[in-house]
Structures are given as C-alpha cells and as structure tokens.
C-alpha cells in the first residue's frame, strides 16, 4: 500500500480515504461526496477569509485542545483496526462474500479514521498559528482552521453513519441467521 514515497508521506492515506466517496449501492464515485466533503469546507474557508473572521486566542486554544484530543482518539481507533485486521488475517477465514465485506469495511474505516486523525493534527497546527498571530496571518489561519474543522466534522459524520449502518446490518444478519448455512434441510 506504500507508493515509494517517504515514510511521512500521507498520500496513500488521502487516496484511500477519497476512495470511500462511493455509492454503497453501485460502488461508483459520488460527485455529491466530493461536493460535500471537499468543496463545502473550501467554501466555508473562503467565506471566513472574505469576511475577515479572526478567532480570539481563547477560542483558538480551545480548538487546539479539541483537535489534539480527537487526533489521539482517532489514532487509537486506527491502531485498534490494525489489530483487528491482524486478528482476522491470523484466523485465515475461507474467502467468502462475508469476509470480503468485512475486510472492505475495516479498510474503509481505517482509511477514514487515519485521514481524520491527520486532519485533526493539521487543524491543531493551524489553530496554534491562529492563537499566536495577528492581522492577515490570523485571518488566513482562522479561515483555514474553520474550513478544516467543517471538513473534519463532515468526515466524522460520514464515519458515524457508516459504522451505525454496518452495525445494524450485522445485527440483522445475526438475528435472522442470514450469516449461517441453512440448517433446515435433512440431517
């Protein structure tokens, strides 16, 4: 999954995250996702810059704390998903539609969580700049930070929805027995 770039290059994480901008039914990329997750936050940043918004130092400090906490939490999620993927690989399950679905879901969740952790780190850095700057640097860092914040919230909402829907589907399969071979036949 590496692209030969330096170890700190996160291009693979960004690519993997963007590959989740697909329709659950068709598997095709959704332009609505690009609009929602990338263009809308960019628009927010542009409007904030145009309006010359300036975050007060105390607000920037609070946002630094929130972004840092979320980054640590999301990094922990990524490590947990890595552990779960390793456990799954150690089990060496027979290839099946269920295993394919499970591995795809783990991969997408890992991509989204790793990406969101990176966005948190970037946002925290931008908010540090906002907390200590003045004039045009404060305006730009406020705009970029708020744009990143909107982007982060949208990504987290997507992940929350995905996890909820996948949990509901798993519970339905278990409660209906759809995940087990038919046992009603002759014995």
């Amino acid at each position: 999954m590496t692209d030969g770039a330096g170890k700190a290059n996160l291009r693979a994480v960004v690519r993997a995250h963007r590959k989740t901008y697909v329709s659950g039914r068709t598997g095709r990329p959704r332009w609505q996702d690009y609009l929602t997750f990338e263009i809308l936050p960019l628009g927010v940043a542009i409007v904030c810059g145009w309006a010359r918004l300036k975050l007060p130092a105390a607000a920037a400090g609070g946002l630094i704390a929130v972004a840092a906490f979320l980054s640590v939490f999301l990094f922990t999620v990524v490590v947990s998903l890595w552990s779960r993927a390793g456990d799954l690989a150690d089990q060496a399950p027979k290839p099946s539609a269920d295993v394919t679905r499970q591995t795809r879901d783990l991969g997408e969740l890992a991509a989204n969580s790793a990406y969101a952790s990176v966005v948190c780190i970037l946002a925290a850095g931008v908010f540090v700049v906002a907390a200590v700057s003045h004039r045009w640097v404060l305006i730009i860092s406020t705009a970029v930070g708020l744009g990143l914040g909107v982007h982060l919230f949208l990504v987290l909402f997507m992940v929350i929805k995905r996890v909820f829907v996948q949990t509901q589907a798993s519970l339905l399969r278990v409660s209906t027995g759809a995940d087990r071979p038919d046992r009603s036949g002759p014995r």
Side-chain angles (χ1 to χ4, degrees):
M1 177 111 190
T2 62
D3 56 6
K7 290 183 179 183
N9 187 323
L10 298 171
R11 194 174 317 147
V13 172
V14 173
R15 257 193 233 122
H17 166 74
R18 291 183 90 219
K19 283 183 181 179
T20 68
Y21 292 173
V22 297
S23 167
R25 288 190 322 266
T26 67
R28 290 191 198 128
R30 290 175 31 98
W31 64 267
Q32 299 94 330
D33 288 349
Y34 290 95
L35 180 69
T36 301
F37 298 111
E38 295 181 8
I39 304 302
L40 178 62
L42 180 61
V44 167
I46 290 169
V47 168
C48 289
W50 178 77
R52 299 182 184 274
L53 288 180
K54 298 176 184 175
L55 273 176
L63 290 170
I64 292 166
V66 169
F69 172 77
L70 274 175
S71 178
V72 170
F73 173 74
L74 289 164
F75 182 75
T76 303
V77 168
V78 172
V79 172
S80 286
L81 291 168
W82 170 68
S83 176
R84 175 67 182 116
D87 291 346
L88 187 62
D90 290 345
Q91 292 170 3
K94 288 178 73 174
S96 67
D98 189 49
V99 170
T100 298
R101 179 196 47 76
Q102 191 174 17
T103 58
R104 184 195 67 233
D105 292 348
L106 280 172
E108 288 183 354
L109 188 56
N112 295 147
S113 299
Y115 178 81
S117 183
V118 169
V119 172
C120 285
I121 292 166
L122 292 174
V126 171
F127 290 133
V128 166
V129 172
V132 299
S133 62
H134 302 289
R135 297 196 235 341
W136 65 270
V137 175
L138 176 57
I139 292 168
I140 291 171
S141 59
T142 295
V144 171
L146 293 177
L148 284 171
V150 168
H151 179 62
L152 177 64
F153 281 129
L154 292 171
V155 169
L156 291 177
F157 291 160
M158 175 183 66
V159 171
I160 289 167
K161 181 181 177 189
R162 175 177 288 136
V163 170
F164 178 76
V165 167
Q166 291 170 352
T167 301
Q168 294 299 100
S170 294
L171 292 173
L172 181 62
R173 279 194 314 280
V174 169
S175 69
T176 62
D179 63 334
R180 292 175 288 246
D182 185 17
R183 295 186 179 151
S184 61
R187 295 183 186 213

PDB file of all heavy atoms in Angstrom, residues 23-48:
ATOM      1  N   SER A  23     -20.840   5.270  -3.884  1.00  0.00           N
ATOM      2  CA  SER A  23     -22.199   4.842  -3.561  1.00  0.00           C
ATOM      3  C   SER A  23     -22.147   3.435  -2.979  1.00  0.00           C
ATOM      4  O   SER A  23     -21.490   2.549  -3.533  1.00  0.00           O
ATOM      5  CB  SER A  23     -23.052   4.846  -4.836  1.00  0.00           C
ATOM      6  OG  SER A  23     -24.265   4.162  -4.618  1.00  0.00           O
ATOM      7  N   GLY A  24     -22.856   3.229  -1.886  1.00  0.00           N
ATOM      8  CA  GLY A  24     -22.932   1.904  -1.276  1.00  0.00           C
ATOM      9  C   GLY A  24     -23.658   0.905  -2.164  1.00  0.00           C
ATOM     10  O   GLY A  24     -23.383  -0.285  -2.120  1.00  0.00           O
ATOM     11  N   ARG A  25     -24.567   1.389  -2.984  1.00  0.00           N
ATOM     12  CA  ARG A  25     -25.332   0.503  -3.876  1.00  0.00           C
ATOM     13  C   ARG A  25     -24.582   0.156  -5.149  1.00  0.00           C
ATOM     14  O   ARG A  25     -24.558  -0.985  -5.567  1.00  0.00           O
ATOM     15  CB  ARG A  25     -26.673   1.149  -4.250  1.00  0.00           C
ATOM     16  CG  ARG A  25     -27.676   1.187  -3.117  1.00  0.00           C
ATOM     17  CD  ARG A  25     -29.052   1.605  -3.593  1.00  0.00           C
ATOM     18  NE  ARG A  25     -29.036   2.642  -4.605  1.00  0.00           N
ATOM     19  CZ  ARG A  25     -29.144   3.946  -4.368  1.00  0.00           C
ATOM     20  NH1 ARG A  25     -29.290   4.377  -3.148  1.00  0.00           N
ATOM     21  NH2 ARG A  25     -29.111   4.819  -5.348  1.00  0.00           N
ATOM     22  N   THR A  26     -23.978   1.155  -5.776  1.00  0.00           N
ATOM     23  CA  THR A  26     -23.363   0.938  -7.095  1.00  0.00           C
ATOM     24  C   THR A  26     -21.858   0.783  -7.044  1.00  0.00           C
ATOM     25  O   THR A  26     -21.266   0.243  -7.975  1.00  0.00           O
ATOM     26  CB  THR A  26     -23.687   2.104  -8.050  1.00  0.00           C
ATOM     27  OG1 THR A  26     -23.030   3.290  -7.573  1.00  0.00           O
ATOM     28  CG2 THR A  26     -25.193   2.330  -8.158  1.00  0.00           C
ATOM     29  N   GLY A  27     -21.206   1.290  -5.994  1.00  0.00           N
ATOM     30  CA  GLY A  27     -19.753   1.247  -5.906  1.00  0.00           C
ATOM     31  C   GLY A  27     -19.074   2.306  -6.768  1.00  0.00           C
ATOM     32  O   GLY A  27     -17.860   2.336  -6.868  1.00  0.00           O
ATOM     33  N   ARG A  28     -19.860   3.182  -7.375  1.00  0.00           N
ATOM     34  CA  ARG A  28     -19.302   4.240  -8.220  1.00  0.00           C
ATOM     35  C   ARG A  28     -19.045   5.500  -7.401  1.00  0.00           C
ATOM     36  O   ARG A  28     -19.766   5.784  -6.448  1.00  0.00           O
ATOM     37  CB  ARG A  28     -20.288   4.590  -9.338  1.00  0.00           C
ATOM     38  CG  ARG A  28     -20.424   3.494 -10.354  1.00  0.00           C
ATOM     39  CD  ARG A  28     -21.191   4.009 -11.561  1.00  0.00           C
ATOM     40  NE  ARG A  28     -21.694   2.878 -12.320  1.00  0.00           N
ATOM     41  CZ  ARG A  28     -22.947   2.735 -12.690  1.00  0.00           C
ATOM     42  NH1 ARG A  28     -23.833   3.663 -12.423  1.00  0.00           N
ATOM     43  NH2 ARG A  28     -23.303   1.679 -13.365  1.00  0.00           N
ATOM     44  N   PRO A  29     -18.034   6.277  -7.817  1.00  0.00           N
ATOM     45  CA  PRO A  29     -17.773   7.554  -7.125  1.00  0.00           C
ATOM     46  C   PRO A  29     -19.007   8.461  -7.167  1.00  0.00           C
ATOM     47  O   PRO A  29     -19.748   8.471  -8.146  1.00  0.00           O
ATOM     48  CB  PRO A  29     -16.627   8.165  -7.933  1.00  0.00           C
ATOM     49  CG  PRO A  29     -15.970   7.005  -8.601  1.00  0.00           C
ATOM     50  CD  PRO A  29     -17.065   6.013  -8.880  1.00  0.00           C
ATOM     51  N   ARG A  30     -19.211   9.190  -6.070  1.00  0.00           N
ATOM     52  CA  ARG A  30     -20.358  10.099  -5.971  1.00  0.00           C
ATOM     53  C   ARG A  30     -19.853  11.540  -5.983  1.00  0.00           C
ATOM     54  O   ARG A  30     -19.113  11.941  -5.101  1.00  0.00           O
ATOM     55  CB  ARG A  30     -21.111   9.856  -4.667  1.00  0.00           C
ATOM     56  CG  ARG A  30     -21.860   8.553  -4.598  1.00  0.00           C
ATOM     57  CD  ARG A  30     -22.483   8.318  -3.224  1.00  0.00           C
ATOM     58  NE  ARG A  30     -22.877   9.527  -2.534  1.00  0.00           N
ATOM     59  CZ  ARG A  30     -24.125  10.025  -2.519  1.00  0.00           C
ATOM     60  NH1 ARG A  30     -25.084   9.418  -3.146  1.00  0.00           N
ATOM     61  NH2 ARG A  30     -24.379  11.127  -1.847  1.00  0.00           N
ATOM     62  N   TRP A  31     -20.288  12.313  -6.974  1.00  0.00           N
ATOM     63  CA  TRP A  31     -19.883  13.715  -7.055  1.00  0.00           C
ATOM     64  C   TRP A  31     -20.414  14.472  -5.844  1.00  0.00           C
ATOM     65  O   TRP A  31     -19.794  15.428  -5.394  1.00  0.00           O
ATOM     66  CB  TRP A  31     -20.345  14.362  -8.366  1.00  0.00           C
ATOM     67  CG  TRP A  31     -21.836  14.435  -8.542  1.00  0.00           C
ATOM     68  CD1 TRP A  31     -22.636  13.530  -9.173  1.00  0.00           C
ATOM     69  CD2 TRP A  31     -22.702  15.472  -8.086  1.00  0.00           C
ATOM     70  NE1 TRP A  31     -23.942  13.925  -9.130  1.00  0.00           N
ATOM     71  CE2 TRP A  31     -24.017  15.130  -8.461  1.00  0.00           C
ATOM     72  CE3 TRP A  31     -22.495  16.664  -7.382  1.00  0.00           C
ATOM     73  CZ2 TRP A  31     -25.111  15.922  -8.161  1.00  0.00           C
ATOM     74  CZ3 TRP A  31     -23.596  17.447  -7.086  1.00  0.00           C
ATOM     75  CH2 TRP A  31     -24.879  17.071  -7.479  1.00  0.00           C
ATOM     76  N   GLN A  32     -21.555  14.020  -5.277  1.00  0.00           N
ATOM     77  CA  GLN A  32     -22.107  14.681  -4.100  1.00  0.00           C
ATOM     78  C   GLN A  32     -21.152  14.601  -2.909  1.00  0.00           C
ATOM     79  O   GLN A  32     -21.081  15.521  -2.096  1.00  0.00           O
ATOM     80  CB  GLN A  32     -23.462  14.065  -3.696  1.00  0.00           C
ATOM     81  CG  GLN A  32     -24.531  14.177  -4.741  1.00  0.00           C
ATOM     82  CD  GLN A  32     -24.625  12.953  -5.654  1.00  0.00           C
ATOM     83  OE1 GLN A  32     -23.633  12.270  -5.912  1.00  0.00           O
ATOM     84  NE2 GLN A  32     -25.808  12.688  -6.173  1.00  0.00           N
ATOM     85  N   ASP A  33     -20.415  13.499  -2.812  1.00  0.00           N
ATOM     86  CA  ASP A  33     -19.449  13.358  -1.717  1.00  0.00           C
ATOM     87  C   ASP A  33     -18.293  14.342  -1.874  1.00  0.00           C
ATOM     88  O   ASP A  33     -17.857  14.951  -0.905  1.00  0.00           O
ATOM     89  CB  ASP A  33     -18.914  11.925  -1.644  1.00  0.00           C
ATOM     90  CG  ASP A  33     -19.952  10.939  -1.132  1.00  0.00           C
ATOM     91  OD1 ASP A  33     -21.008  11.377  -0.647  1.00  0.00           O
ATOM     92  OD2 ASP A  33     -19.706   9.719  -1.226  1.00  0.00           O
ATOM     93  N   TYR A  34     -17.798  14.490  -3.103  1.00  0.00           N
ATOM     94  CA  TYR A  34     -16.726  15.460  -3.337  1.00  0.00           C
ATOM     95  C   TYR A  34     -17.214  16.879  -3.028  1.00  0.00           C
ATOM     96  O   TYR A  34     -16.502  17.671  -2.430  1.00  0.00           O
ATOM     97  CB  TYR A  34     -16.209  15.375  -4.774  1.00  0.00           C
ATOM     98  CG  TYR A  34     -15.443  14.103  -5.026  1.00  0.00           C
ATOM     99  CD1 TYR A  34     -16.063  12.987  -5.565  1.00  0.00           C
ATOM    100  CD2 TYR A  34     -14.098  14.021  -4.694  1.00  0.00           C
ATOM    101  CE1 TYR A  34     -15.352  11.813  -5.782  1.00  0.00           C
ATOM    102  CE2 TYR A  34     -13.383  12.855  -4.910  1.00  0.00           C
ATOM    103  CZ  TYR A  34     -14.026  11.754  -5.455  1.00  0.00           C
ATOM    104  OH  TYR A  34     -13.327  10.599  -5.658  1.00  0.00           O
ATOM    105  N   LEU A  35     -18.444  17.155  -3.430  1.00  0.00           N
ATOM    106  CA  LEU A  35     -19.027  18.467  -3.158  1.00  0.00           C
ATOM    107  C   LEU A  35     -19.160  18.698  -1.649  1.00  0.00           C
ATOM    108  O   LEU A  35     -18.747  19.729  -1.131  1.00  0.00           O
ATOM    109  CB  LEU A  35     -20.395  18.585  -3.839  1.00  0.00           C
ATOM    110  CG  LEU A  35     -21.138  19.893  -3.664  1.00  0.00           C
ATOM    111  CD1 LEU A  35     -20.424  21.013  -4.406  1.00  0.00           C
ATOM    112  CD2 LEU A  35     -22.559  19.762  -4.199  1.00  0.00           C
ATOM    113  N   THR A  36     -19.697  17.714  -0.947  1.00  0.00           N
ATOM    114  CA  THR A  36     -19.935  17.841   0.490  1.00  0.00           C
ATOM    115  C   THR A  36     -18.649  17.885   1.296  1.00  0.00           C
ATOM    116  O   THR A  36     -18.476  18.750   2.158  1.00  0.00           O
ATOM    117  CB  THR A  36     -20.800  16.660   0.992  1.00  0.00           C
ATOM    118  OG1 THR A  36     -22.040  16.666   0.282  1.00  0.00           O
ATOM    119  CG2 THR A  36     -21.060  16.757   2.493  1.00  0.00           C
ATOM    120  N   PHE A  37     -17.742  16.956   1.035  1.00  0.00           N
ATOM    121  CA  PHE A  37     -16.574  16.796   1.897  1.00  0.00           C
ATOM    122  C   PHE A  37     -15.382  17.665   1.508  1.00  0.00           C
ATOM    123  O   PHE A  37     -14.484  17.858   2.324  1.00  0.00           O
ATOM    124  CB  PHE A  37     -16.148  15.327   1.952  1.00  0.00           C
ATOM    125  CG  PHE A  37     -17.217  14.446   2.531  1.00  0.00           C
ATOM    126  CD1 PHE A  37     -17.878  13.529   1.741  1.00  0.00           C
ATOM    127  CD2 PHE A  37     -17.579  14.557   3.856  1.00  0.00           C
ATOM    128  CE1 PHE A  37     -18.876  12.728   2.267  1.00  0.00           C
ATOM    129  CE2 PHE A  37     -18.575  13.768   4.401  1.00  0.00           C
ATOM    130  CZ  PHE A  37     -19.228  12.851   3.600  1.00  0.00           C
ATOM    131  N   GLU A  38     -15.363  18.181   0.288  1.00  0.00           N
ATOM    132  CA  GLU A  38     -14.213  18.974  -0.131  1.00  0.00           C
ATOM    133  C   GLU A  38     -14.583  20.397  -0.545  1.00  0.00           C
ATOM    134  O   GLU A  38     -13.947  21.346  -0.099  1.00  0.00           O
ATOM    135  CB  GLU A  38     -13.469  18.243  -1.260  1.00  0.00           C
ATOM    136  CG  GLU A  38     -12.878  16.938  -0.742  1.00  0.00           C
ATOM    137  CD  GLU A  38     -12.103  16.159  -1.780  1.00  0.00           C
ATOM    138  OE1 GLU A  38     -11.878  16.671  -2.895  1.00  0.00           O
ATOM    139  OE2 GLU A  38     -11.710  15.018  -1.468  1.00  0.00           O
ATOM    140  N   ILE A  39     -15.596  20.552  -1.371  1.00  0.00           N
ATOM    141  CA  ILE A  39     -15.952  21.881  -1.869  1.00  0.00           C
ATOM    142  C   ILE A  39     -16.635  22.715  -0.785  1.00  0.00           C
ATOM    143  O   ILE A  39     -16.307  23.896  -0.609  1.00  0.00           O
ATOM    144  CB  ILE A  39     -16.833  21.785  -3.139  1.00  0.00           C
ATOM    145  CG1 ILE A  39     -16.126  20.964  -4.225  1.00  0.00           C
ATOM    146  CG2 ILE A  39     -17.216  23.166  -3.633  1.00  0.00           C
ATOM    147  CD1 ILE A  39     -14.774  21.499  -4.643  1.00  0.00           C
ATOM    148  N   LEU A  40     -17.556  22.134  -0.033  1.00  0.00           N
ATOM    149  CA  LEU A  40     -18.239  22.879   1.036  1.00  0.00           C
ATOM    150  C   LEU A  40     -17.253  23.432   2.068  1.00  0.00           C
ATOM    151  O   LEU A  40     -17.294  24.628   2.372  1.00  0.00           O
ATOM    152  CB  LEU A  40     -19.312  22.009   1.701  1.00  0.00           C
ATOM    153  CG  LEU A  40     -20.062  22.643   2.871  1.00  0.00           C
ATOM    154  CD1 LEU A  40     -20.839  23.879   2.418  1.00  0.00           C
ATOM    155  CD2 LEU A  40     -20.991  21.625   3.516  1.00  0.00           C
ATOM    156  N   PRO A  41     -16.320  22.617   2.618  1.00  0.00           N
ATOM    157  CA  PRO A  41     -15.350  23.188   3.567  1.00  0.00           C
ATOM    158  C   PRO A  41     -14.460  24.265   2.941  1.00  0.00           C
ATOM    159  O   PRO A  41     -14.127  25.253   3.602  1.00  0.00           O
ATOM    160  CB  PRO A  41     -14.514  21.982   4.002  1.00  0.00           C
ATOM    161  CG  PRO A  41     -15.389  20.816   3.754  1.00  0.00           C
ATOM    162  CD  PRO A  41     -16.201  21.158   2.541  1.00  0.00           C
ATOM    163  N   LEU A  42     -14.103  24.082   1.676  1.00  0.00           N
ATOM    164  CA  LEU A  42     -13.321  25.103   0.981  1.00  0.00           C
ATOM    165  C   LEU A  42     -14.129  26.401   0.879  1.00  0.00           C
ATOM    166  O   LEU A  42     -13.605  27.492   1.112  1.00  0.00           O
ATOM    167  CB  LEU A  42     -12.917  24.617  -0.415  1.00  0.00           C
ATOM    168  CG  LEU A  42     -12.092  25.587  -1.246  1.00  0.00           C
ATOM    169  CD1 LEU A  42     -10.769  25.911  -0.556  1.00  0.00           C
ATOM    170  CD2 LEU A  42     -11.857  24.998  -2.638  1.00  0.00           C
ATOM    171  N   GLY A  43     -15.422  26.268   0.588  1.00  0.00           N
ATOM    172  CA  GLY A  43     -16.297  27.438   0.545  1.00  0.00           C
ATOM    173  C   GLY A  43     -16.384  28.136   1.891  1.00  0.00           C
ATOM    174  O   GLY A  43     -16.360  29.370   1.969  1.00  0.00           O
ATOM    175  N   VAL A  44     -16.468  27.349   2.958  1.00  0.00           N
ATOM    176  CA  VAL A  44     -16.503  27.923   4.306  1.00  0.00           C
ATOM    177  C   VAL A  44     -15.216  28.705   4.570  1.00  0.00           C
ATOM    178  O   VAL A  44     -15.253  29.827   5.085  1.00  0.00           O
ATOM    179  CB  VAL A  44     -16.709  26.823   5.373  1.00  0.00           C
ATOM    180  CG1 VAL A  44     -16.435  27.344   6.778  1.00  0.00           C
ATOM    181  CG2 VAL A  44     -18.120  26.255   5.281  1.00  0.00           C
ATOM    182  N   ALA A  45     -14.074  28.116   4.209  1.00  0.00           N
ATOM    183  CA  ALA A  45     -12.793  28.804   4.413  1.00  0.00           C
ATOM    184  C   ALA A  45     -12.739  30.102   3.617  1.00  0.00           C
ATOM    185  O   ALA A  45     -12.299  31.142   4.132  1.00  0.00           O
ATOM    186  CB  ALA A  45     -11.633  27.887   4.016  1.00  0.00           C
ATOM    187  N   ILE A  46     -13.209  30.090   2.376  1.00  0.00           N
ATOM    188  CA  ILE A  46     -13.198  31.293   1.537  1.00  0.00           C
ATOM    189  C   ILE A  46     -14.097  32.367   2.124  1.00  0.00           C
ATOM    190  O   ILE A  46     -13.707  33.539   2.214  1.00  0.00           O
ATOM    191  CB  ILE A  46     -13.596  30.942   0.085  1.00  0.00           C
ATOM    192  CG1 ILE A  46     -12.463  30.136  -0.567  1.00  0.00           C
ATOM    193  CG2 ILE A  46     -13.910  32.194  -0.723  1.00  0.00           C
ATOM    194  CD1 ILE A  46     -12.838  29.500  -1.896  1.00  0.00           C
ATOM    195  N   VAL A  47     -15.294  31.987   2.566  1.00  0.00           N
ATOM    196  CA  VAL A  47     -16.223  32.957   3.157  1.00  0.00           C
ATOM    197  C   VAL A  47     -15.635  33.538   4.446  1.00  0.00           C
ATOM    198  O   VAL A  47     -15.712  34.743   4.674  1.00  0.00           O
ATOM    199  CB  VAL A  47     -17.607  32.321   3.408  1.00  0.00           C
ATOM    200  CG1 VAL A  47     -18.484  33.205   4.280  1.00  0.00           C
ATOM    201  CG2 VAL A  47     -18.304  32.031   2.077  1.00  0.00           C
ATOM    202  N   CYS A  48     -15.026  32.693   5.271  1.00  0.00           N
ATOM    203  CA  CYS A  48     -14.403  33.185   6.519  1.00  0.00           C
ATOM    204  C   CYS A  48     -13.270  34.159   6.211  1.00  0.00           C
ATOM    205  O   CYS A  48     -13.130  35.186   6.883  1.00  0.00           O
ATOM    206  CB  CYS A  48     -13.880  32.020   7.356  1.00  0.00           C
ATOM    207  SG  CYS A  48     -15.168  31.015   8.100  1.00  0.00           S
TER     208      CYS A  48
END
